[in-house]
Amino acid sequence: MGYIEKGTKEFLDTNVALFAGGFNTFAILYSTQPILPYLTKEFGISPTMASLSLSVTTITLAVSMLVMGSLSEVWGRKSIMTFSITAASILAIVTSFTQGFASLLVIRVLQGIVLAGLPAIAMAYISEEVEKTSLGMAMGLYISGNSIGGMGGRIIIGFLTDAFHWRIALGSIGAIGIAASLLFWLKLPPSRHFKAREFEIGKLLNSMESHLKNPGLLRLYCIGFLLMGSFVSLYNYIGFQLIDPPYSLDPALVSFIFVIYIVGTFSSTWMGRLADNHGHHKVLRSAILLMFAGAATTLHMHLVLKVFGIALLTFGFFGGHSIVSSWVGRLASHDRAQASSLYLFFYYAGSSVGGTSAGVFWTNYGWGGVISMITCFLISALFLSTRFSSG
């Protein structure tokens, strides 16, 4: 049975489905990020505490993916992914009815668990079903769906929160998610190269250990942790800076900062193609340097330059994530879903650790403190990237 190649109807259907799945996943995952200032006011909590509404979801997602990635080696790909995004959409509607911050966190934890069924498995599906010379482009298009989901979801939530209430906004994201789940189920071709294995916990643990002992994979995992920690830290707290003097912007207007995600839609595909043609290691280093330049630029007080810095960091981040994601699939010689789930475990752990830790820097040192932490993360990522001589 042949592989899915670019230029075919199957390639189009696959990317439409994965685009819809990625959109749904990331719109729901980051749905509370643009309303953090509203949560601090409504529940009388600190910005760091409010950030837990995102961090608890990403950390449970990270842990759950270790299980889901392994289970998909036994149960298959499409069925788990479809259940994942459908259940998360229903929970998004339930979230809109929660009355206390503690109950909101409980639902967000459940969302993290069920959302785990799509990201790692989608990467493995692409690695197994798409022809290798089209792999970088396919992964880039999938990540484009992630970036548009992250962008579109935040903008929709910001607009609906300003017009109505944040509860209505969260419920609306759930309704959109159900429609996206149906599109995913209808369009995604069934797996043809997946080979189910028996559920043997010992073998699954051994294969996981072998991935962690692979120096190349381990470096990629750590780079994912550092890049994601940097990215989420910036977006978690930039809103707090922009609604404070001297900017004093309206929170609904601040939510449109996520329009910048559109540059990630371009960079993930473009840099993925560049990596296919010129080598992953070279393009990855360039992406990290772009992130560093962007972070430094946001220190300028002029609003236009600050926005430009955010765009530069976003461009580099999505490009870097696209490169590392496809690189994991190339380096893993077996159990690719598990290898991908390990990468995403580190990736989302970076989101949780970085996103919440940056709150301490924000509270004590302001925006300069947040950027100092991001700088340390990016220097570490750049050092790890230099350990690759080719790829």
Side-chain angles (χ1 to χ4, degrees):
M1 292 180 287
Y3 290 90
I4 299 170
E5 298 182 19
K6 57 186 173 185
T8 64
K9 183 180 183 298
E10 272 199 324
F11 188 80
L12 177 62
D13 286 346
T14 299
N15 283 291
V16 167
L18 291 171
F19 187 94
F23 180 99
N24 190 15
T25 299
F26 288 87
I28 292 172
L29 179 62
Y30 293 107
S31 59
T32 61
Q33 193 175 49
I35 61 172
L36 293 180
Y38 292 94
L39 298 181
T40 60
K41 291 180 181 179
E42 177 152 341
F43 296 112
I45 54 180
S46 69
T48 304
M49 183 64 69
S51 73
L52 289 176
S53 65
L54 176 59
S55 295
V56 297
T57 310
T58 54
I59 195 63
T60 52
L61 174 76
V63 173
S64 300
M65 278 193 299
L66 295 177
V67 178
M68 291 291 189
S70 296
L71 289 179
S72 76
E73 303 288 1
V74 179
W75 294 343
R77 312 300 195 201
K78 184 175 178 177
S79 58
I80 295 179
M81 289 191 286
T82 304
F83 168 80
S84 167
I85 54 179
T86 304
S89 301
I90 294 169
L91 285 171
I93 296 173
V94 174
T95 303
S96 66
F97 294 99
T98 57
Q99 295 303 310
F101 188 65
S103 58
L104 175 65
L105 290 183
V106 170
I107 301 299
R108 291 290 287 165
V109 166
L110 293 176
Q111 281 185 315
I113 293 170
V114 296
L115 279 173
L118 185 124
I121 300 173
M123 291 169 63
Y125 177 93
I126 293 170
S127 297
E128 289 170 348
E129 303 300 328
V130 176
E131 196 269 329
K132 287 196 179 296
T133 59
S134 306
L135 184 58
M137 183 179 180
M139 193 70 76
L141 287 168
Y142 164 62
I143 292 173
S144 293
N146 299 350
S147 67
I148 290 180
M151 175 191 71
R154 289 164 168 96
I155 292 172
I156 291 168
I157 285 174
F159 176 78
L160 292 178
T161 297
D162 185 57
F164 303 102
H165 194 275
W166 62 265
R167 297 181 187 280
I168 291 176
L170 292 182
S172 298
I173 286 295
I176 293 170
I178 290 174
S181 301
L182 178 62
L183 180 63
F184 178 89
W185 177 67
L186 291 173
K187 287 288 185 180
L188 189 72
S191 297
R192 289 180 296 193
H193 299 94
F194 167 74
K195 295 181 179 179
R197 56 185 293 179
E198 293 182 8
F199 184 75
E200 298 178 79
I201 189 65
K203 289 185 178 180
L204 289 172
L205 290 175
N206 287 338
S207 65
M208 184 179 294
E209 182 183 5
S210 73
H211 290 317
L212 291 172
K213 286 183 176 180
N214 182 319
L217 286 176
L218 189 56
R219 281 194 289 270
L220 292 175
Y221 295 159
C222 291
I223 290 171
F225 176 97
L226 294 164
L227 297 188
M228 186 57 162
S230 302
F231 179 71
V232 168
S233 295
L234 183 135
Y235 274 97
N236 269 8
Y237 299 100
I238 189 64
F240 287 101
Q241 188 189 32
L242 294 179
I243 64 176
D244 285 346
Y247 307 106
S248 302
L249 298 180
D250 184 88
L253 182 61
V254 171
S255 70
F256 279 89
I257 201 74
F258 297 108
V259 170
I260 294 173
Y261 266 52
I262 199 70
V263 303
T265 303
F266 169 72
S267 70
S268 59
T269 305
W270 181 62
M271 285 194 165
R273 192 183 301 118
L274 281 179
D276 286 341
N277 296 329
H278 302 290
H280 289 65
H281 61 301
K282 294 178 182 178
V283 186
L284 176 59
R285 290 170 201 165
S286 299
I288 295 171
L289 289 172
L290 284 174
M291 290 184 69
F292 180 82
T297 304
T298 66
L299 291 171
H300 201 286
M301 291 302 294
H302 195 289
L303 183 59
V304 172
L305 285 175
K306 192 176 289 289
V307 171
F308 175 73
I310 297 169
L312 202 57
L313 182 140
T314 303
F315 187 95
F317 168 74
F318 278 103
H321 175 42
S322 174
I323 293 164
V324 177
S325 298
S326 61
W327 205 347
V328 167
R330 286 171 178 261
L331 283 185
S333 59
H334 60 88
D335 298 301
R336 287 193 175 97
Q338 192 180 62
S340 295
S341 68
L342 277 170
Y343 164 67
L344 290 172
F345 169 78
F346 280 83
Y347 179 81
Y348 289 112
S351 172
S352 298
V353 173
T356 299
S357 298
V360 178
F361 284 88
W362 165 253
T363 301
N364 292 289
Y365 307 107
W367 189 245
V370 174
I371 296 302
S372 295
M373 193 200 84
I374 290 173
T375 299
C376 291
F377 274 33
L378 293 177
I379 289 173
S380 300
L382 187 61
F383 170 76
L384 289 171
S385 72
T386 62
R387 307 296 294 171
F388 292 102
S389 59
S390 62

